[in-house]
Amino acid sequence: MRTPTRILLLLCILSWAWMAPVIETSAEDSVPLDGVPPDRVAHYLHSVIEGSRTIYSQYLVERLKETVGLDATENWEEDNTLPLPAQFLAMTSEHVRSQNLGLSYKLMSLWPINPKNGPASLLEKKGLQDVLASPDDPFVWIEENKNSLSYNTIFADKAVTRQCAACHNNHPESPKKDFKLGDVLGGIHIQFPIHRRTEGGKTDHYVLPEMAADYIHAILEADRTIYAQYVVHRLEKKKVNYASANWWENNALLLPAQFLLNASELIKTLRLNFDYRLISLWPINPNNRPANEFERTGLKFMSESPHHPVKGIMRSGNQKYFQAIYPDRAVTTSCVKCHNAHPDSPKNNFLLNQVMGGIVVSFPLDREEGLVSFTPGE
Ligand code: HEC
Ligand code: HEC
């Protein structure tokens, strides 16, 4: 049973049959062979949200306030300032919701500045109390509605910079005034659809790998789009600040690519064995070239059919990885202008909305840690 599947897979990879999502299915029961455990998916999603949130708070909100006096304010549009970290997250979350994947996330607190951010149910309240008591353990529950199941998890949201605590303490609407650096200010509630199966009297929950990749990508794309449009593009247009590869020396904004890659570096330190990168057939930085034939062919395919991601299963030694490449588009004119004018860019005629490259997402599919063994006695 195992061998034919392996050969089939290998053939898929060798023949670049990557156009349709490649999901292994066993012939008898059409249950996917590899489901990703929901708690692992939740950790991936949380790490992406948290990675961008940390980069945004530390390298933009905190650093630019200290170095060039650029504030983050609630009325950022009129003030020509940075959106608050909570507003940045709310905008990305709205962008993700508009993708209709069933994935959603929001910030909450037991001491909300905005009463709308208080717990909306007893479970949310219990979750916030729980993560306050043990911030390293997310609170989890499964919700069942008619024909759908959703996985719900609340992660602690900590004051990662001094300003998180200071601004909340000083805000007239804040019910709590003594937050310190590192304290739990609230929580992030993440919700996404899952599947259930029962086999041999045992019930498991799982997420299809292609869905897990779509969820991860939706958040990455939202972070990237909101950052490029509402931070870089807007502040450049208003001549408040600008994006620069030397953002540290220049006290400037990180390039959109750096925003994504710095968050990705942060996530590597968590050792989740999950990764994402930006690649292109016309890279400014040669390190961002496709790393293998799958990535090269995927990028070529996307530059011709820009609406479809490319998904597949890769092997590296004994480890099986799910890999997906999503088109990365020029969402604002600043993407196009900067790349076309860059001395190291091999292509100088990008257009608005064109595919400039791809975002590669990959995570392990290991059976040992996975949920089920399909062949009894294997
Ligand atoms: C300059 C002020 C400011 C900074 C800095 C700031 N916040 Fe907030 N935060 C707010 C405001 C104002 C709201 C309410 C936004 C709204 O209307 O939804 C908020 C909302 C929140 C919420 C949702 C609950 C609530 O209070 O409404 C959480 C949780 C939160 N912030 C955590 C943080 C963390 C963690 C940081 C640092 C990464 C941070 N905040 C940085 C002002 C700030
Ligand atoms: C101000 C200049 C600037 C802006 C604005 C900018 N980029 Fe880039 N971009 C760069 C530089 C420089 C790199 C190389 C970064 C590195 O060293 O990894 C890069 C890297 C990339 C890469 C990886 C391949 C490569 O060229 O190395 C992609 C894809 C990409 N950018 C797409 C975009 C998109 C899409 C936008 C708009 C959302 C955008 N860029 C906005 C300068 C810019």
Side-chain angles (χ1 to χ4, degrees):
M1 185 50 230
R2 297 295 298 144
T3 316
T5 320
R6 273 204 190 126
I7 292 172
L8 193 78
L9 240 187
L10 200 68
L11 279 177
C12 282
I13 293 167
L14 287 178
S15 61
W16 310 119
W18 31 254
M19 289 166 60
V22 182
I23 298 296
E24 294 172 85
T25 52
S26 62
E28 311 93 298
D29 50 16
S30 78
V31 173
L33 206 58
D34 292 289
V36 189
D39 63 331
R40 208 191 310 158
V41 175
H43 274 98
Y44 294 159
L45 302 180
H46 177 247
S47 71
V48 177
I49 297 170
E50 197 52 26
S52 300
R53 187 157 163 75
T54 305
I55 298 297
Y56 186 71
S57 306
Q58 289 182 348
Y59 293 160
L60 292 140
V61 176
E62 182 159 80
R63 190 154 193 283
L64 295 179
K65 164 98 178 161
E66 278 168 8
T67 55
V68 294
L70 179 60
D71 278 315
T73 64
E74 261 168 281
N75 300 318
W76 51 273
E77 272 184 294
E78 296 108 72
D79 301 346
N80 293 335
T81 51
L82 291 166
L84 299 174
Q87 291 172 314
F88 187 84
L89 186 137
M91 283 190 275
T92 62
S93 151
E94 195 44 50
H95 191 91
V96 165
R97 206 189 297 271
S98 72
Q99 310 292 306
N100 292 321
L101 294 168
L103 166 66
S104 66
Y105 55 96
K106 61 175 183 185
L107 275 182
M108 294 186 313
S109 173
L110 293 169
W111 309 280
I113 291 180
N114 181 341
K116 275 198 216 138
N117 302 331
S121 66
L122 282 174
L123 272 166
E124 283 192 350
K125 186 166 179 196
K126 167 120 181 47
L128 285 172
Q129 286 164 340
D130 253 53
V131 297
L132 184 66
S134 43
D136 295 330
D137 300 322
F139 181 80
V140 172
W141 75 97
I142 288 171
E143 225 168 77
E144 197 157 357
N145 290 317
K146 281 182 225 143
N147 299 324
S148 71
L149 281 176
S150 73
Y151 189 84
N152 288 262
T153 173
I154 295 181
F155 288 86
D157 190 43
K158 292 187 200 163
V160 290
T161 71
R162 249 170 258 288
Q163 270 193 54
C164 307
C167 183
H168 278 251
N169 290 342
N170 295 330
H171 200 285
E173 310 294 331
S174 175
K176 188 169 151 76
K177 307 277 184 194
D178 58 353
F179 287 117
K180 295 182 300 298
L181 181 67
D183 276 0
V184 175
L185 284 186
I188 301 179
H189 178 180
I190 306 174
Q191 182 176 31
F192 54 89
I194 53 172
H195 295 290
R196 173 188 287 163
R197 63 186 156 219
T198 302
E199 228 184 50
K202 193 170 169 284
T203 300
D204 286 306
H205 294 102
Y206 65 97
V207 179
L208 289 173
E210 55 162 349
M211 292 309 299
D214 284 354
Y215 299 157
I216 294 166
H217 169 255
I219 302 177
L220 286 172
E221 200 209 30
D223 286 345
R224 193 158 162 67
T225 305
I226 300 298
Y227 180 66
Q229 281 179 354
Y230 295 105
V231 180
V232 176
H233 187 66
R234 184 179 55 94
L235 294 178
E236 281 185 349
K237 228 169 90 187
K238 302 278 181 185
K239 304 208 174 352
V240 172
N241 207 319
Y242 60 96
S244 157
N246 303 316
W247 57 276
W248 184 272
E249 294 82 0
N250 298 346
N251 298 324
L253 306 168
L254 289 86
L255 301 173
Q258 291 171 319
F259 186 75
L260 182 129
L261 296 174
N262 273 291
S264 159
E265 286 304 312
L266 210 75
I267 289 169
K268 281 201 190 104
T269 64
L270 301 174
R271 300 189 177 280
L272 290 169
N273 210 359
F274 139 67
D275 193 23
Y276 55 86
R277 292 189 303 124
L278 260 186
I279 55 173
S280 168
L281 294 170
W282 312 278
I284 291 180
N285 181 341
N287 292 336
N288 302 330
R289 269 196 301 250
N292 52 44
E293 199 50 39
F294 175 81
E295 293 183 0
R296 200 167 3 260
T297 322
L299 282 176
K300 277 199 194 120
F301 170 74
M302 275 183 323
S303 59
E304 285 146 28
S305 313
H307 300 289
H308 300 287
V310 174
K311 296 171 178 172
I313 293 170
M314 305 292 284
R315 263 180 201 288
S316 166
N318 278 334
Q319 181 63 275
K320 226 162 54 171
Y321 284 89
F322 190 83
Q323 219 181 13
I325 312 176
Y326 296 84
D328 188 45
R329 281 166 204 286
V331 287
T332 75
T333 47
S334 50
C335 311
V336 171
K337 274 197 203 141
C338 184
H339 276 253
N340 286 349
H342 200 286
D344 297 330
S345 175
K347 185 171 154 87
N348 309 102
N349 57 354
F350 283 115
L351 302 171
L352 187 63
N353 290 322
Q354 213 174 21
V355 175
M356 296 178 71
I359 300 183
V360 194
V361 173
S362 81
F363 50 83
L365 291 173
D366 36 5
R367 290 178 62 78
E368 303 78 63
E369 265 191 74
L371 290 171
V372 283
S373 102
F374 280 93
T375 321
E378 189 188 60

